[in-house]
């Protein structure tokens, strides 16, 4: 350390400290642009250069490293256990309503408790009820100093180090270093940490592919990720955050209403959801209609929402209304009935997947859940059943959220009669009789027989699916039937089905067979990234397949690639590379590619650089945001690329069009700001014609 008697060292140390502060400030600014505004200003490489310089500087001079340095987001703090933090105000819960009647009854209660003058000014804020984990965040003089879970409402667990790794959480406020707003001296906010549905599915799929434990739902995943004792694990999880309540504001003008408070938090750069609406009391019917309509719309949001929260806007009136027990009178959680149901678990059967992994499935006493009769649900794996002590004969709570497969959430042990049976994983595959094996350290159990017909059925189902070869009219039913009848022994047999014989099958009339045959024919000329996806190689989904086929224009060429060559491709890590290499080193797999080629399936792009079909979108750059009516995000991207257009992740003056769907957020605002034309899905399709 420099001392006063060593002026040169002093100057140098000052320089270094100034450099570190400068780097930290630039990094914060660029992270803010990247994560919060979704509008990066510099390239990833330029950003990495700043980041690496700071990291090196801090490694050489640890005294320069502050807890809120941007380098600390990668975690690394390993706790023995979590300390307790007392919350500044009790963390209340919410009363629930399940019907419009209860919503109106709540309003009447409020009206009764307020004066006439107040009733005139009464207004409500309606916001999504985010289904994650409550967190309480403390900022002191603009720095993020403490973060805690809700705990028992009075004391929470201190998870500051873990929360620091959440990218959208600003470590300093205002998050935009260029802002001229001064930081409040003290700010405590409440929010919800969560994981997007797609990120959750992606993570779980990876876990399962690696034979590791899958999480039951995004909420558990978020909770599990935040409660890691090693914060570097948390840092690898795709956690996000919405802030929805200012608990304490000091050293800044006091907001008069919740709506104002949200706006203030937003200007500080805290992540506040845009999907919030304010209604006056006179507009209560509109509010009720909005609540009703949201029941459907919420399924299109990228994150899980289990209802809406309706809050009285005025903070003064909130105070006046006070609480009953643990619930504030001024807020109400509106939940959509029918999402969850209770039924009897009749049996547990196992299904064999295309990788041979067997998953236990619940056979349920049929029960209606949000308009659909549910008869089966997933039980994930052996550990899930054991950990939750789910027994055959139990009454269980099941949940059906949107389009996803229903899940068994937990049993209701209080309702047991004593006749329930503990389930154990069978020793043999129910389909082929081969032994079932659970590899050491893995959560999944596998059927060891590669030729197991159940695996083949699943592999065929995946092959013909929308993401893969997209063969219309071909689904699990056809896969089962054709495998069962011995028409399909490997994937290539799909291209030499005995159509004459199929015509004789029950339910397979001439028209239907013709259509099916035409669909199979049409799939032969799909771009090779689809065939590569369809093969079902571990870790090679649609996105990876597309990336690879930009470098390898033939599957036989790909088969010769070394793992080193493959992992040199941006976006292809060593695990994917090894998996592809392993796949093509199996002789039967090579023979399969050969068989595809013989049967006329495209295994190489004819002219790699020549555009396939017309390119009406050539020269145009698109940004897709929000939920589109029929395309998923990936499909929209694929559609644009297939028609010669480019896809960008963020809006800039170079963007030609922003394609916006429902619940589009900051990208849409940005487009408007820059005057970039905004179009919908229909207009995109029209442009591509
Ligand atoms: S307000 C006293 N707003 O729902 C007000 N809560 O069932 C308390 N939640 O534990 C909370 N989204 O974690 C509020 N927009 C939102 C919310 C929200 C999710 C959670 C919160 C609470 C639970 C209550």
């Amino acid at each position: 350390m420099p001392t006063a008697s060593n002026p040169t060292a002093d100057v140098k140390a000052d320089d270094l400290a100034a450099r570190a502060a400068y780097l930290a400030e630039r990094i914060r600014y660029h992270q803010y642009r990247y994560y919060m505004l979704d509008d990066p200003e510099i390239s990833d490489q330029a950003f990495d250069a700043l980041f690496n310089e700071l990291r090196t500087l801090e490694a050489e001079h640890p005294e320069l490293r502050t807890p809120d340095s941007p380098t600390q987001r990668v975690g690394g703090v390993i706790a023995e256990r979590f300390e307790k933090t007392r919350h500044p105000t009790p963390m209340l819960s919410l009363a629930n309503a399940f019907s419009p009647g209860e919503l109106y009854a709540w309003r009447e209660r409020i009206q009764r408790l307020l004066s006439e003058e107040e009733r005139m000014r009464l207004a409500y804020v309606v916001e999504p009820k985010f289904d994650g984990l409550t967190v309480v965040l403390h900022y002191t003089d603009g720095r993020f100093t403490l973060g805690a879970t809700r705990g028992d409402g009075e004391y929470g667990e201190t998870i500051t180090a873990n929360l620091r790794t959440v990218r959208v959480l600003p470590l300093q406020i205002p998050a935009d270093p260029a802002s001229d707003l001064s930081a409040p001296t003290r700010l405590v906010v409440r929010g919800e940490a969560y994981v997007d549905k797609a990120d959750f599915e992606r993570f779980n799929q990876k876990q399962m592919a690696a034979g590791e434990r899958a999480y039951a739902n995004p909420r558990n995943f978020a909770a599990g990720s935040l409660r890691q004792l090693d914060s570097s694990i948390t840092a690898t999880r795709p956690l996000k955050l919405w802030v929805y309540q200012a608990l304490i504001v000091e050293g800044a003008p006091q907001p008069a209403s919740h709506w104002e408070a949200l706006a203030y938090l937003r200007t500080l750069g805290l992540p506040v959801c845009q999907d919030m609406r304010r209604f006056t009391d006179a507009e209560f019917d509109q509010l009720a209609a909005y609540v009703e309509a949201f029941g459907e719309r919420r399924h299109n949001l990228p994150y899980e929402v289990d209802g809406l929260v309706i809050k009285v806007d005025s903070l003064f009136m909130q105070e006046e209304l006070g609480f009953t027990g643990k619930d504030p009178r001024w807020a109400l959680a509106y939940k959509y009935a029918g999402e969850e149901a209770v039924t009897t678990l009749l049996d547990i059967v196992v299904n064999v997947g295309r990788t041979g992994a067997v998953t236990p499935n619940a056979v349920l006493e049929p029960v209606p859940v949000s308009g659909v009769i549910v008869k089966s649900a997933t039980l994930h794996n052996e550990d899930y059943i054991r950990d939750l002590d789910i027994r055959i004969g139990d009454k269980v709570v099941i949940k059906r959220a949107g389009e996803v497969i229903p899940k068994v959430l937990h049993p209701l042990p209080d309702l047991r009669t004593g006749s329930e049976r503990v389930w154990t994983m069978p020793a043999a595959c129910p389909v082929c009789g081969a032994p079932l094996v659970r590899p050491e350290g893995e959560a999944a159990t596998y059927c060891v027989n590669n030729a197991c017909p159940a695996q083949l059925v699943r592999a065929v189902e995946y092959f013909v699916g929308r993401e893969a070869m997209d063969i219309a009219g071909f689904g699990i039913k056809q896969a089962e039937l054709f495998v069962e009848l011995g028409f399909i022994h490997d994937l290539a047999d799909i291209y030499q089905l005995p159509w004459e014989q199929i015509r004789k099958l029950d339910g397979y009339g001439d028209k239907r067979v013709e259509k099916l045959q035409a669909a199979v024919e049409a799939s032969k000329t799909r771009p090779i990234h689809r065939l590569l996806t369809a093969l079902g190689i571990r870790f090679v989904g649609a996105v990876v397949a597309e990336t690879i086929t930009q470098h390898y224009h033939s599957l036989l060429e790909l088969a010769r690639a070394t793992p080193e060559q493959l992992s040199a491709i941006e976006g292809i890590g060593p695990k994917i590379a090894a998996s592809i290499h392993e796949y093509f080193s199996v002789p039967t797999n090579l023979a399969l590619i050969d068989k595809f080629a013989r049967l006329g399936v495209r295994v190489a792009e004819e002219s790699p650089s020549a555009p396939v079909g017309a390119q009406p979108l050539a020269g145009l750059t698109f940004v897709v945001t929000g939920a589109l009516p029929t395309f998923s995000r990936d499909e929209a991207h694929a559609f644009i690329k297939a028609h010669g257009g480019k896809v960008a992740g963020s809006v800039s003056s170079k963007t030609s069009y922003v394609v916006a769907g429902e619940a589009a957020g900051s990208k849409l605002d940005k487009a408007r700001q820059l005057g970039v034309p905004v179009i919908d899905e229909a207009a995109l399709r029209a442009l591509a014609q």
Side-chain angles (χ1 to χ4, degrees):
M1 280 296 286
T3 61
S5 62
N6 185 350
T8 10
D10 248 1
V11 170
K12 207 162 164 243
D14 281 356
D15 279 355
L16 291 180
R19 181 71 187 157
Y22 170 80
L23 290 168
E25 197 259 9
R26 293 320 292 161
I27 291 168
R28 256 178 222 122
Y29 173 73
H30 291 302
Q31 283 183 328
Y32 169 72
R33 298 219 50 116
Y34 188 91
Y35 291 111
M36 288 297 302
L37 305 184
D38 210 355
D39 184 22
E41 234 174 35
I42 59 171
S43 68
D44 290 357
Q45 287 82 348
F47 179 83
D48 290 346
L50 288 172
F51 197 89
N52 289 336
E53 187 183 338
L54 180 61
R55 202 165 37 196
T56 310
L57 200 56
E58 287 178 348
E60 287 167 4
H61 303 274
E63 72 279 4
L64 297 176
R65 183 184 296 138
T66 60
D68 56 1
S69 163
T71 59
Q72 299 309 295
R73 291 226 193 247
V74 291
V77 175
I78 301 177
E80 296 258 320
R81 61 186 174 86
F82 296 113
E83 301 294 325
K84 295 265 185 259
T85 298
R86 192 190 179 125
H87 297 307
T89 58
M91 290 299 113
L92 304 162
S93 50
L94 292 172
N96 291 321
F98 295 94
S99 66
E102 288 170 273
L103 179 62
Y104 277 93
W106 173 73
R107 174 207 193 187
E108 268 171 39
R109 241 181 352 260
I110 285 173
Q111 284 179 329
R112 239 182 296 121
L113 291 164
L114 296 174
S115 70
E116 193 177 337
E117 191 270 328
E118 283 173 328
R119 282 203 293 272
M120 302 287 292
R121 290 186 294 112
L122 180 56
Y124 309 88
V125 175
V126 184
E127 33 193 84
K129 186 169 181 311
F130 310 109
D131 195 11
L133 187 78
T134 300
V135 290
V136 181
L137 313 172
H138 296 238
Y139 287 87
T140 315
D141 295 325
R143 281 162 187 266
F144 174 63
T145 43
L146 181 79
T149 63
R150 178 176 186 276
D152 62 6
E154 189 183 353
Y155 288 91
E157 286 176 321
T158 313
I159 51 165
T160 317
N162 289 349
L163 282 165
R164 277 191 216 285
T165 70
V166 177
R167 295 300 193 269
V168 295
L169 182 152
L171 299 179
Q172 285 192 15
I173 48 169
D176 178 359
S179 160
D180 45 21
L181 207 67
S182 63
T185 50
R186 182 166 181 233
L187 179 76
V188 184
V189 295
R190 178 171 177 171
E192 201 83 357
Y194 70 96
V195 174
D196 274 339
K197 292 186 255 191
D199 286 334
F200 165 72
E201 292 299 341
R202 217 169 292 141
F203 181 87
N204 254 3
Q205 238 137 52
K206 264 204 320 219
Q207 288 286 102
M208 287 194 284
E212 277 160 36
R213 185 176 286 209
Y215 283 91
N217 55 50
R219 208 192 100 80
N220 288 0
F221 179 42
S225 301
L226 267 185
R227 298 193 70 263
Q228 294 287 334
L229 290 169
D230 178 353
S231 62
S232 60
I233 296 179
T234 312
T236 65
R237 304 290 172 83
L239 285 163
K240 292 189 177 168
L241 178 77
W242 290 125
V243 166
Y244 54 70
Q245 198 185 13
L247 297 169
I248 292 179
V249 182
E250 282 170 14
Q254 290 302 305
S257 68
H258 178 56
W259 191 247
E260 256 181 41
L262 292 176
Y264 173 62
L265 298 179
R266 220 177 258 132
T267 57
L268 288 175
L270 288 161
V272 176
C273 181
Q274 295 281 354
D275 209 333
M276 303 211 169
R277 288 278 296 268
R278 185 177 183 275
F279 295 89
T280 63
D281 189 50
E283 294 166 333
F284 205 83
D285 290 341
Q286 278 110 292
L287 183 153
Y290 177 81
V291 169
E292 179 78 29
F294 191 81
E296 274 312 307
R297 185 160 77 77
R298 79 202 156 102
H299 297 303
N300 302 329
L301 295 175
Y303 40 84
E304 286 224 355
V305 159
D306 58 348
L308 284 169
V309 184
I310 303 127
K311 300 175 180 172
V312 168
D313 189 26
S314 154
L315 297 182
F316 180 78
M317 290 185 217
Q318 284 191 4
E319 187 119 340
E320 269 197 325
L321 288 165
F323 316 95
T324 52
K326 269 197 163 175
D327 303 332
R329 286 198 190 85
W330 48 266
L332 183 73
Y334 191 96
K335 294 209 183 151
Y336 296 94
E339 271 278 283
E340 289 180 17
V342 174
T343 187
T344 308
L345 175 61
L346 300 175
D347 199 1
I348 297 178
V349 293
V350 294
N351 269 354
V352 186
R354 79 190 146 83
T355 59
V358 290
T359 29
N361 274 295
V363 180
L364 303 167
E365 173 93 48
V367 60
V369 191
S370 30
V372 171
I373 305 287
V374 174
K375 291 183 238 164
S376 62
T378 175
L379 284 162
H380 303 285
N381 56 41
E382 198 178 1
D383 291 345
Y384 186 80
I385 299 170
R386 200 199 44 226
D387 293 351
L388 290 171
D389 187 22
I390 298 170
R391 304 182 191 174
I392 297 172
D394 264 343
K395 293 268 184 261
V396 290
V397 177
I398 61 160
K399 177 172 176 171
R400 177 180 168 265
E403 297 309 307
V404 301
I405 307 165
K407 300 171 195 253
V408 173
L409 292 183
H410 57 84
L412 296 169
D414 291 348
L415 301 182
R416 282 189 183 144
T417 59
S419 62
E420 294 75 16
R421 281 186 294 124
V422 173
W423 176 84
T424 48
M425 182 64 90
C429 173
V431 178
C432 70
L436 294 182
V437 172
R438 180 171 171 180
E440 177 101 17
E442 292 200 23
T445 303
Y446 296 87
C447 164
V448 294
N449 174 13
N450 278 334
C452 172
Q455 289 183 40
L456 183 57
V457 168
R458 294 289 165 185
V460 172
E461 182 194 18
Y462 181 75
F463 185 93
V464 298
R466 286 240 291 187
E467 286 250 294
M469 294 301 259
D470 194 14
I471 304 182
F474 208 136
I476 179 82
K477 289 252 161 62
Q478 287 69 32
E480 268 167 1
L481 184 65
F482 298 159
V483 169
E484 172 72 33
L485 292 175
F487 296 166
I488 297 182
H489 296 102
D490 64 38
L491 292 171
D493 284 340
I494 294 170
Y495 295 98
Q496 52 178 1
L497 283 167
W499 295 109
E500 280 319 308
Q501 266 171 277
I502 293 173
R503 234 179 268 274
K504 292 184 200 130
L505 300 175
D506 244 12
Y508 284 79
D510 284 355
K511 258 234 171 86
R512 182 158 183 208
V513 172
E514 229 165 76
K515 266 200 182 157
L516 191 57
Q517 194 173 358
V520 169
E521 255 331 280
S523 75
K524 287 182 174 174
T525 51
R526 299 249 190 273
I528 59 161
H529 65 81
R530 283 188 167 267
L531 180 59
L532 180 56
T533 307
L535 294 176
I537 302 172
R538 238 185 179 196
F539 309 124
V540 182
V543 175
V544 168
E546 228 177 304
T547 309
I548 289 172
T549 54
Q550 277 164 11
H551 295 79
Y552 290 87
H553 306 296
S554 138
L555 293 189
L556 291 169
E557 202 187 310
L558 175 65
R560 288 191 296 271
T562 63
E564 292 72 33
Q565 285 167 333
L566 290 169
S567 49
I569 301 174
E570 169 137 14
I572 307 301
K575 239 165 61 176
I576 302 174
S579 168
I580 295 173
H581 183 70
E582 197 179 305
Y583 179 87
F584 286 113
S585 49
V586 176
T588 46
N589 290 340
L590 281 177
L592 182 68
I593 306 295
D594 204 49
K595 186 165 167 189
F596 278 125
R598 269 191 288 116
L599 292 169
V601 181
R602 178 178 293 175
V603 296
E605 296 304 353
E606 278 139 24
S607 157
S609 52
V612 186
Q615 302 273 292
L617 304 183
L620 300 177
T621 303
F622 294 80
V623 172
V624 184
T625 178
L628 301 180
T630 71
F631 277 150
S632 71
R633 184 66 56 86
D634 285 347
E635 286 164 357
H637 287 176
F639 179 85
I640 291 165
K641 288 185 205 154
H643 292 86
K646 277 206 193 127
V647 176
S650 60
V651 181
S652 74
S653 54
K654 295 192 199 99
T655 311
S656 319
Y657 292 96
V658 167
V659 185
E662 229 180 302
S666 61
K667 291 185 189 173
L668 183 55
D669 298 340
K670 184 76 191 174
R672 296 212 171 107
Q673 226 175 316
L674 294 175
V676 173
V678 177
I679 58 173
D680 61 6
E681 183 186 308
L684 170 66
R685 288 178 189 273
L687 271 181
Q689 289 203 332

